[in-house]
Amino acid sequence: MGRGLFISFEGIDGAGKSTHVEALADRMRAAGRTVVLTREPGGTPLAEQIRSLALHQAMDPLTEALLMFAARRDHLQQVIEPALVRGDTVLCDRFTDATFAYQGGGRGFDWQTLSDLERMVQSLPASEDGLAPELRQPDLTLWFDLAPSIAAERLAGARLPDRFESQPVAFFEAVRAGYARRMEEGPSRFARVDADQAREKVWDDVCRSVQTRGWI
Ligand code: TYD
């Protein structure tokens, strides 16, 4: 197991997580940590190529789910695991919960199949005591939760939408339900941040979640 810290940022498109990823990176660096700022799908040259396919090419749901996990595998091996071994702090704009929320919730793809793929891609080497191998998961997942109707207003006219951003509000309701289900399945790892507040209030909540864990 790596010694570093792994934090992921999640939420539907338009929830406003990205500015807080950057801000937390600055705050963590100020606290003396070496920060690796990265994103999914993406974070390596190969995974960034997969990202542009997944976000812009039509494909069936299984292909989409496999591409997300293929990108994740490369990202874990090339970037995340080495950083955690070095003791760095990894801040990742989206991780596996996004696959459950978007492909599982949004697209309606089979949850159990996603869990099987998750185990295949994120298993850590078996420990010497013979226990089942653990899964690599973030130490903390900040879920920026916002009603899809409000997120849609925020996104309107912002830029040319990709295959996900162009989905109707009902899709994002299902994505949101997917995140809620993931939080129910692993509550200790999650902090839900109410994203329907002024940006400074959201930032306070982000800082509090990290501070209560003693990380800044
Ligand atoms: P996003 O992270 O919102 O980046 P940007 O801020 O540049 O738009 O875009 C990534 C999109 O990919 C987002 O709509 C969610 C989607 N996605 C999935 O569908 N499954 C996944 O596993 C991941 C990581 C992302």
Side-chain angles (χ1 to χ4, degrees):
M1 293 273 286
R3 309 175 278 119
L5 196 59
F6 181 19
I7 302 178
S8 65
F9 296 72
E10 297 285 357
I12 61 171
D13 293 271
K17 64 184 160 52
S18 296
T19 55
H20 299 290
V21 186
E22 301 274 348
L24 189 60
D26 289 343
R27 185 77 175 70
M28 289 285 207
R29 287 191 189 104
R33 292 179 176 275
T34 301
V35 174
V36 174
L37 191 56
T38 188
R39 68 172 182 180
E40 288 210 349
T44 70
L46 173 61
E48 288 292 331
Q49 288 191 48
I50 294 175
R51 178 190 179 94
S52 54
L53 293 172
L55 266 54
H56 302 291
Q57 299 272 330
M59 63 187 72
D60 87 294
L62 174 58
T63 308
E64 191 176 284
L66 291 171
L67 284 181
M68 296 300 177
F69 276 111
R72 181 158 306 126
R73 178 79 182 171
D74 193 54
H75 191 209
L76 277 166
Q77 289 193 323
Q78 306 293 331
V79 174
I80 297 177
E81 295 297 344
L84 295 176
V85 167
R86 290 195 303 270
D88 294 353
T89 295
V90 177
L91 301 185
C92 194
D93 193 340
R94 301 191 184 282
F95 191 63
T96 296
D97 299 308
T99 311
F100 284 83
Y102 280 78
Q103 281 64 54
R107 300 277 194 232
F109 189 74
D110 182 56
W111 200 266
Q112 185 55 50
T113 305
L114 295 179
S115 299
D116 293 343
L117 290 169
E118 179 184 40
R119 187 157 309 105
M120 206 178 285
V121 167
Q122 290 162 237
S123 281
L124 295 166
S127 55
E128 281 165 16
D129 53 19
L131 296 173
E134 276 185 74
L135 286 190
R136 169 62 69 205
Q137 292 291 11
D139 299 296
L140 170 66
T141 296
L142 291 160
W143 172 28
F144 294 78
D145 188 28
L146 183 66
S149 54
I150 300 172
E153 278 169 30
R154 288 188 186 175
L155 277 182
R159 62 175 173 189
L160 209 59
D162 62 35
R163 285 177 66 235
F164 298 103
E165 290 162 344
S166 56
Q167 294 293 319
V169 165
F171 175 86
F172 289 105
E173 295 286 3
V175 173
R176 188 187 198 190
Y179 277 126
R181 180 169 172 189
R182 281 293 273 184
M183 184 164 164
E184 268 169 36
E185 290 177 356
S188 59
R189 164 170 83 79
F190 269 88
R192 179 188 166 277
V193 175
D194 178 4
D196 188 14
Q197 308 181 84
R199 186 171 292 182
E200 311 77 65
K201 286 255 165 36
V202 174
W203 173 238
D204 288 347
D205 287 354
V206 169
C207 288
R208 199 169 311 117
S209 300
V210 179
Q211 264 157 357
T212 54
R213 287 166 175 81
W215 296 335
I216 46 175

